[in-house]
Amino acid sequence: MTNPNPYPDLPQNHLLKQAFEGSARAHALIEALQDFLHGELAELAQMHGIDHEHSPDKSLLRKVWQRSHALGFYGMTLPQSMGGEALSVLDQVLIKEAIYASGSPFAPHVLGELSGPPRIGALVRKATPLQMEQFILPVARAEKSICFALTETEAGSDAGALQTQARLEGDSYVLSGAKRFISGSPFADFAVLMASTAPADSGQREISAFFVDLHAPGVEIRCGYKTMAGQSHTGDILLDQVRVPAAQRIGEPGRGLALALGRITVNRLLHCPAMLGLAQVALCDARDYALQRRQFGRSIADFQALQHMLADMATQWMAARALMLQTARALDAGIDARAQASMSKLFCSEAAFGIADKAVQIHGGEGIVQGRRVEFLFRMLRMYRVLTGTSEIQRNTIAKELLSVPGAQHA
Ligand SMILES: Cc1cc2nc3c(=O)[nH]c(=O)nc-3n(C[C@H](O)[C@H](O)[C@H](O)COP(=O)(O)OP(=O)(O)OC[C@H]3O[C@@H](n4cnc5c(N)ncnc54)[C@H](O)[C@@H]3O)c2cc1C
């Protein structure tokens, strides 16, 4: 029989008892992942001095990807034909939440979120046999890594304004331009990269997608800058007359943005379990600190002001989680849940940051000293209000869906 609580250290264990809603397979995967995260990976982190702000180098990352692959976790999000698990969106959300709630610094790497199978899942349908052989299968086998490059300095929220040019010359495209803020690029071998195939200065928008070998002549990865979370997982990709065989174009010319945004609804939702997993860690840390810290001769957890903070944190977390799970169910039911996914991304990111903020407050001075986990979580969770579509862009999407009443026109 399925154990109703596969999350031994999490708040619902003590505060918020809930039934496990995923499949028996997701439950088994979560249990096996907990062993991997708390066993082998915890030892590896200790041995190499890895924590949230001291990232593994590429050779250590490769080791983690390959172990995860050998244990059957790495490619679980891929189609079944490629060894994936055919998991529902709800299962994927629950699995990711458990990974992040483990508090492991390897959490983003176990499934290869920055540079592994989740970056290629949607492309499998469009890839040619050659592209499968050269790019997709090596990534699925954890031999190579891949990033996703859309953003540019002048094309952030307005991604369609990108200026990187791909000019057809014989049987190759010649790519020139610069990509900004590309997750995983410091350790990736390939990129799925968006460039304009419209004639230069034509004023037309025609965005196409390419597999680009990041070791090819003319490619430079500029990295080393850190985000406010103290990590250097992000870099810029500079392209100077890079020759890319036409056979590496993905799908039809001009279909790149549609390809990139094709899974945006599911992808937006799939950021929520990471935020809520980390917010659980902040909530647990705050609760534990409140119980052990004494002031005025008593536990600070006795003060109603702190009890109310904890109550608000748990309520926000619970509401955000309910919205996330409801959206996952809608997607599994085949509903076009674009607005719900934006609501989830908006609400979960704002709620998770609010939880981290209160967790810092409950820790007092200890909460603002570097090295405390809540101090890191505060900085980390601040970032999600910007990443993969800012809160403002989510509101735009929600409003657009609400206002698109058939037959109605704005005055
Ligand atoms: C750590 C990190 C990792 C990233 N990883 C990747 C990656 O792997 N691949 C990739 O392609 N990109 C990546 N990005 C880019 C990310 O998606 C963009 O930073 C994000 O979409 C916002 O774009 P911008 O930074 O240019 O902000 P801008 O678009 O310049 O926005 C600035 C402000 O204006 C607001 N704004 C803009 N337009 C509107 C509007 N129409 N209505 C209301 N408000 C508006 C925004 O909400 C924001 O408050 C990453 C960024 C970071 C920081």
Side-chain angles (χ1 to χ4, degrees), residues 239-293:
L239 303 141
D240 181 13
Q241 308 275 325
V242 179
R243 278 201 169 267
V244 174
Q248 288 176 209
R249 196 193 63 230
I250 310 167
E252 298 298 310
R255 297 292 301 152
L257 208 54
L259 207 66
L261 303 182
R263 266 176 64 89
I264 195 168
T265 301
V266 177
N267 286 343
R268 275 184 176 159
L269 179 70
L270 287 177
H271 283 281
C272 299
M275 305 166 206
L276 294 188
L278 295 172
Q280 282 182 52
V281 176
L283 176 49
C284 282
D285 282 2
R287 179 201 54 192
D288 294 348
Y289 188 81
L291 285 169
Q292 62 88 19
R293 172 72 172 161

Side-chain angles (χ1 to χ4, degrees), residues 176-196:
S176 292
K179 295 289 171 184
R180 176 87 173 131
F181 293 142
I182 307 305
S183 300
S185 60
F187 40 80
D189 298 295
F190 311 134
V192 171
L193 191 139
M194 302 296 147
S196 169

Side-chain angles (χ1 to χ4, degrees), residues 88-100:
S88 64
V89 179
L90 181 64
D91 279 347
Q92 290 185 53
V93 160
L94 292 167
I95 290 169
K96 259 191 82 170
E97 183 190 33
I99 291 174
Y100 279 83

Side-chain angles (χ1 to χ4, degrees), residues 119 148-151 156-158 180-183 227 234 383 386-390 392-393 396:
R119 298 265 149 185
F148 178 81
L150 174 61
T151 302
S157 299
D158 183 11
R180 176 87 173 131
F181 293 142
I182 307 305
S183 300
T227 60
T234 311
M383 301 208 329
V386 171
L387 297 181
T388 63
T390 63
E392 293 71 40
I393 295 299
N396 288 353

